[in-house]
Amino acid sequence: MLVGWGVGAVLLGSSIKAMPVMEEKIGRMNLKGQILLAALASFAIIALYLLGLAGTGAWQMPSAWEANALAATGEPIDPVSPVDAFCAAGMMLGISSGYAILKRRGGFLADGPLSRRLVRYLLGMIGVVLIWYGLKEAMQIEAADWALDYIRSMLAGLWVTLGAPLMFIGLGLAKKEQVDGQSAGGDP
């Protein structure tokens, strides 16, 4: 268990140290390159899941785990289900792509009076709920569950980093981070 914490700490420290260099390199890429990189990172999440799944071999969940989980939550569990991996991968693509596009369109300032922040929060959450639960109800094709989870997560990520900020700017609830290459600043 301590080895896992150690590996996690090394990975986190390495990521934090490499972040400024990576941010600069990715920032210099064109938009197509940034979106391609986001797609590759997204597919890497799925590949890591599949690699981990392959490593489990013929592992079967102990019946005691299943019984305990069912007793505690009232729902059966499936610890090797790909749903979480596909959701994370779709979210990675949506958030990364949306952020790259938003930066090209001038960014988004999240500051402003508390009342505007609250309105933005509520409108943003309405959008997320509509995407997350509305699409889940609208797209019930059992054979394509994982692909639909991927698409739904990607759209939610795009909404959070691109759709909602652009809507806020359009409604006058926020300002762009940059206007013609200059910092915008100030309350909307």
Side-chain angles (χ1 to χ4, degrees):
M1 181 155 165
L2 289 177
V3 171
W5 281 95
V7 169
V10 167
L11 288 174
L12 179 61
S14 301
S15 298
I16 290 170
K17 187 169 173 84
M19 187 63 69
V21 173
M22 294 304 297
E23 192 173 351
E24 183 182 332
K25 285 183 180 192
I26 294 170
R28 286 194 309 250
M29 295 172 78
N30 65 26
L31 183 59
K32 285 182 184 178
Q34 289 176 334
I35 293 174
L36 177 62
L37 182 62
L40 290 173
S42 173
F43 297 142
I45 291 171
I46 294 170
L48 286 172
Y49 162 77
L50 293 173
L51 186 64
L53 184 62
T56 62
W59 179 81
Q60 294 286 331
M61 177 175 50
S63 57
W65 290 10
E66 189 173 1
N68 288 339
L70 189 59
T73 65
E75 294 184 24
I77 61 169
D78 185 0
V80 295
S81 169
V83 170
D84 291 336
F86 277 78
C87 285
M91 193 66 71
M92 166 65 90
L93 179 59
I95 287 174
S96 300
S97 299
Y99 181 74
I101 295 167
L102 183 66
K103 289 299 277 185
R104 292 288 195 289
R105 296 188 66 165
F108 164 73
L109 287 173
D111 63 357
L114 183 59
S115 60
R116 286 184 195 242
R117 291 180 189 198
L118 180 60
V119 170
R120 289 193 312 242
Y121 173 77
L122 292 173
L123 290 174
M125 287 305 294
I126 289 169
V128 167
V129 167
L130 287 174
I131 290 168
W132 198 255
Y133 295 104
L135 288 179
K136 185 172 185 136
E137 290 301 314
M139 303 186 318
Q140 292 190 0
I141 305 168
E142 196 161 324
D145 254 359
W146 306 336
L148 295 176
D149 285 331
Y150 182 89
I151 292 168
R152 184 172 56 130
S153 298
M154 181 193 63
L155 291 173
L158 275 170
W159 170 255
V160 168
T161 57
L162 179 63
L166 291 178
M167 181 182 75
F168 301 151
I169 291 167
L171 292 174
L173 295 170
K175 286 190 175 190
K176 288 184 177 184
E177 187 176 1
Q178 295 181 356
V179 178
D180 298 327
Q182 302 294 319
S183 178
D187 288 341

